[in-house]
Amino acid sequence: MFTIKLQDHLQRNWSIYVLCIIILAAFFVRSANFHDWLYFKADQTRDATHSRSALNNGPGELPLLGPKAGGTRLHLGPVYYYFQYFSALVFQSAQPHIFALPDLIFSILTIPLFYYFLRQFFSKEISLLTITTFSFSYILTQYSRFGWNPNSVPFWGLLFVLSVYKAATIQNKKTAGCWLLSAAAAYSVVSQLHFVALAGFPIVAVIFWLFWRPRKIPWKFWVGAVLIVLVMYTPVIISDIKNKGNNLEQFHYAIKHKPQERSAPDAVRKMTELYGEFYVLTVTSLNDKELPIISSIGTFSVLVSFIVLTLLVFGKLPQFKSVKHNPFLIIVLIWFLSFTIIYFQLAFSLDRNRYWFPTIFIPYIFLSMLYAALWKIKYKKIGITLVLTITFLLLILNLSAIANWYCKLHSQQNVDRFFRVISSTSLKQREFVTLKDQEEIAAYMKNISERENKQACFNAPGVYSPAIKYVFETNHPNFPMKRIGKNISKNTNGCVIFMVELSRKNEKSLYKKFPLHINVNIIEKHQAGFLTAWRVSYSENNSKKSNAKKTEASTNNAAKDKKNSSDTKPIKKSSLYWKDIFR
């Protein structure tokens, strides 16, 4: 009797168990050496500093506005900082990897959410096969392994689209109302994570609801949805009241000036090229170095998929007439077209992967459509074999790319393996500097300075300097340390001086960093993976000092004049914190 019940249970719920196995395996891959191999640079340091201050001094230190939208002075909402603060509060730690945990968690939660979304139209088998390739995506794995506000856009964006879809298609009034509240909450979060999501997702909802209106939802749920958005945007509203609408002014300026002034044909060509390149990269992990015609193949695939999707929606394919006007296909089509309009406006910025996160599911939906077509061919065994073969090949490609990247981090050598080649567009952590490297450099500087009973003073590249400072302060909070500029003769009395650079750079590049009147002597160096710290001393050449000052002054004046002549943006007012409200 027990065996029969077990068999019946497994027959009904086998897909759930398979999904759980996929989720666990994806978690293992995405969290491998999470602390040691963490990507931690200037942006991550900025975010961590806000959250650390709130952890140490109370939530009054949390800002009312979030990070700036790229290339503008517009600030997004602060919800990302609040996620990080909550993580720090739970673990009572300001270590960098703690602030990356929300992004890792949301990336894992995206897997069952996407499976549920696919099941609105596709079978269990096709949904699971698609989820398998999605879960081990080389791109998605990368962006689940460090803290950054765009990294959680996929989860919250998908939750918004799913909620909009369910609110319009569910028959039960209360259930549909709950999905409407979910849509409001999801948009309130995703719109604070990236500018493209802020602009694009409302277009999806409005157009879809024109076709499938959520008519039966009681008015109190609509009021609740509005209240959710208002509550979630309360910090932004308070900030703008205090600063007399400054961030709203920046928003208007960003809308007006963010799009590039290029010809329409150039924008279309660039957009379709990057569309194809990113979609192929997302699903296969292949980049332009490995597949030079990647954009051509990708563009062709996207166009064919779009045409097939459109024909399905309008019932023009005889064998698939039953799905005509299907709401799932309609919302996917609207999703694709809505963001295509935005991508057209931003065509020359789309080489950055984060811009594609709001639509990162669409290539996988196109893949599911291919699977469904193959599954229904006359010779079913051949169709199933083809689907399994494609899934296996995609898994091998993505896992080999991940393994190549991980092997570089483990061996601390930039050597390609598994017949894969990493390109600058395919890997965010392309300099391979890790948190472990930064911690080792910080420990080395602290130990040398402690031995000589002096302060540790260091100079490092701009993107790593604040990160090393943060790591030093967090791991050695009571030891004196400061960052110094290239003119190391200023305020370095009582210092042990260190110059930090990427290990691939030699000593000649180190000398070039200093003014002409500074003579640098290298005492010793310490390499920590892809970072190296040189301990140096210096002397001044007075004969060159006056000339160096004249050159520096003229350079600064020229830069100032250029800034004054070109900067027409609205004046940015100072950022506010919760503690400032009652002052």
Side-chain angles (χ1 to χ4, degrees):
M1 181 65 71
F2 174 77
T3 304
I4 295 174
K5 287 185 178 180
L6 179 62
Q7 288 177 345
D8 181 61
H9 174 78
L10 292 175
Q11 284 178 352
R12 286 185 286 106
N13 300 290
W14 65 272
S15 59
I16 302 300
Y17 290 105
V18 173
L19 180 63
C20 289
I21 292 171
I22 293 171
I23 293 171
L24 288 173
F27 177 78
F28 172 78
V29 171
R30 296 185 185 191
S31 63
N33 280 331
F34 191 71
H35 172 273
D36 288 355
W37 293 349
L38 189 76
Y39 174 89
F40 191 67
K41 290 173 73 173
D43 286 347
Q44 289 68 46
T45 305
R46 172 204 64 206
D47 301 340
T49 301
H50 285 302
S51 301
R52 181 180 64 181
S53 180
L55 177 68
N56 294 336
N57 304 312
E61 296 289 331
L62 288 170
L64 297 178
L65 295 178
K68 286 192 293 185
T72 72
R73 291 177 177 175
L74 165 70
H75 281 264
L76 300 167
V79 70
Y80 182 70
Y81 292 154
Y82 300 172
F83 285 148
Q84 289 196 323
Y85 171 64
F86 180 76
S87 179
L89 203 61
V90 169
F91 293 96
Q92 285 297 298
S93 172
Q95 288 293 331
H97 71 286
I98 296 298
F99 300 120
L101 286 176
D103 289 303
L104 174 64
I105 292 169
F106 288 133
S107 80
I108 297 300
L109 292 176
T110 305
I111 296 172
L113 186 67
F114 190 34
Y115 173 77
Y116 181 70
F117 182 77
L118 290 174
R119 285 289 294 122
Q120 305 306 304
F121 184 78
F122 298 103
S123 67
K124 290 180 180 179
E125 293 81 3
I126 289 171
S127 299
L128 284 172
L129 289 168
T130 303
I131 281 296
T132 301
T133 60
F134 174 84
S135 300
F136 300 99
S137 164
Y138 173 54
I139 290 293
L140 289 165
T141 298
Q142 287 182 52
Y143 287 88
S144 67
R145 291 181 55 82
F146 67 97
W148 201 28
N149 52 288
N151 290 0
S152 294
V153 166
F155 173 80
W156 293 102
L158 179 62
L159 179 59
F160 174 76
V161 174
L162 174 64
S163 300
V164 166
Y165 168 81
K166 298 291 281 186
T169 56
I170 289 283
Q171 296 299 316
N172 184 282
K173 295 180 181 181
K174 289 186 177 180
T175 306
C178 290
W179 280 109
L180 178 65
L181 298 179
S182 173
Y187 179 72
S188 298
V189 174
V190 76
S191 60
Q192 298 186 44
L193 298 179
H194 199 271
F195 181 78
V196 172
L198 169 69
F201 281 117
I203 300 174
V204 177
V206 169
I207 297 177
F208 179 70
W209 282 346
L210 287 176
F211 289 95
W212 288 81
R213 297 181 184 177
R215 300 176 182 176
K216 298 180 179 179
I217 298 177
W219 64 269
K220 60 183 180 182
F221 287 102
W222 290 100
V223 173
V226 172
L227 288 176
I228 287 173
V229 175
L230 289 176
V231 168
M232 294 289 283
Y233 267 88
T234 295
V236 179
I237 296 169
I238 293 174
S239 175
D240 250 27
I241 292 172
K242 285 277 189 178
N243 278 332
K244 299 180 180 179
N246 182 252
N247 202 53
L248 186 60
E249 187 180 357
Q250 301 293 347
F251 175 77
H252 290 154
Y253 183 89
I255 291 290
K256 184 178 178 181
H257 295 276
K258 183 79 172 171
Q260 300 88 344
E261 294 182 2
R262 304 288 182 95
S263 67
D266 286 344
V268 170
R269 184 174 63 254
K270 187 66 175 178
M271 180 189 68
T272 53
E273 175 187 321
L274 293 173
Y275 241 129
E277 185 174 328
F278 181 77
Y279 275 24
V280 172
L281 173 63
T282 300
V283 177
T284 70
S285 80
L286 293 171
N287 59 65
D288 54 344
K289 285 187 177 180
E290 297 171 315
L291 188 64
I293 58 171
I294 182 173
S295 61
S296 300
I297 294 174
T299 301
F300 175 77
S301 302
V302 171
L303 287 175
V304 170
S305 301
F306 167 67
I307 291 170
V308 171
L309 177 59
T310 305
L311 292 174
L312 285 171
V313 167
F314 291 99
K316 299 301 182 181
L317 296 178
Q319 62 272 42
F320 295 102
K321 280 193 174 183
S322 60
V323 300
K324 181 180 179 180
H325 298 162
N326 183 282
F328 179 88
L329 296 178
I330 289 174
I331 199 169
V332 172
L333 181 61
I334 292 170
W335 190 0
F336 177 81
L337 291 176
S338 299
F339 279 93
T340 297
I341 295 170
I342 294 175
Y343 290 154
F344 171 77
Q345 299 294 322
L346 303 172
F348 295 90
S349 299
L350 295 177
D351 55 341
R352 302 176 183 91
N353 291 336
R354 65 180 183 269
Y355 284 96
W356 298 97
F357 287 173
T359 61
I360 200 167
F361 303 96
I362 291 179
Y364 289 98
I365 296 171
F366 288 164
L367 179 65
S368 297
M369 289 166 50
L370 173 63
Y371 284 174
L374 292 174
W375 207 272
K376 288 189 175 184
I377 64 174
K378 184 176 180 180
Y379 301 100
K380 194 166 184 178
K381 287 186 178 180
I382 295 177
I384 294 175
T385 302
L386 287 173
V387 170
L388 293 175
T389 302
I390 293 170
T391 303
F392 177 75
L393 290 175
L394 293 177
L395 266 179
I396 293 298
L397 285 171
N398 280 281
L399 289 174
S400 63
I402 294 170
N404 183 30
W405 167 38
Y406 281 4
C407 283
K408 289 174 186 282
L409 298 178
H410 176 73
S411 66
Q412 299 187 331
Q413 295 179 347
N414 190 5
V415 178
D416 286 310
R417 296 171 174 84
F418 308 110
F419 307 103
R420 301 307 304 271
V421 178
I422 286 177
S423 75
S424 59
T425 57
S426 67
L427 183 64
K428 180 72 174 174
Q429 199 174 10
R430 51 185 169 272
E431 291 169 344
F432 307 107
V433 175
T434 64
L435 178 61
K436 182 182 178 182
D437 299 341
Q438 293 164 330
E439 288 181 332
E440 187 175 335
I441 290 294
Y444 164 73
M445 294 192 298
K446 182 258 182 184
N447 292 336
I448 295 294
S449 303
E450 187 176 44
R451 190 172 64 204
E452 301 204 6
N453 197 27
K454 291 182 178 181
Q455 183 179 17
C457 299
F458 78 94
N459 175 278
V463 292
Y464 291 111
S465 181
I468 294 171
K469 179 178 182 289
Y470 183 93
V471 169
F472 197 110
E473 291 173 341
T474 303
N475 291 358
H476 314 290
N478 299 318
F479 196 86
M481 171 275 305
K482 71 176 180 180
R483 289 189 288 170
I484 57 175
K486 293 179 182 179
N487 194 349
I488 60 176
S489 62
K490 293 182 179 179
N491 302 318
T492 54
N493 292 331
C495 282
V496 180
I497 302 172
F498 301 93
M499 305 301 299
V500 182
E501 256 297 355
L502 297 172
S503 297
R504 59 181 170 81
K505 296 194 174 183
N506 55 31
E507 293 180 4
K508 289 183 179 179
S509 65
L510 190 69
Y511 291 125
K512 292 179 181 178
K513 295 181 66 173
F514 299 99
L516 295 174
H517 68 284
I518 298 292
N519 296 322
V520 177
N521 177 45
I522 295 177
I523 300 173
E524 63 176 297
K525 75 173 185 177
H526 178 81
Q527 182 173 347
F530 291 92
L531 275 183
T532 296
W534 282 271
R535 181 188 173 190
V536 302
S537 62
Y538 73 94
S539 60
E540 294 190 61
N541 188 330
N542 292 324
S543 64
K544 297 181 180 180
K545 188 171 183 179
S546 60
N547 291 333
K549 286 185 176 179
K550 291 179 181 178
T551 303
E552 182 180 355
S554 63
T555 302
N556 290 340
N557 289 334
K560 186 176 180 180
D561 292 340
K562 182 178 180 182
K563 182 178 180 181
N564 290 337
S565 64
S566 62
D567 188 11
T568 59
K569 296 180 179 180
I571 297 173
K572 178 185 178 298
K573 296 187 178 180
S574 59
S575 299
L576 296 175
Y577 298 81
W578 280 104
K579 65 182 181 181
D580 299 322
I581 294 177
F582 304 105
R583 286 184 177 178

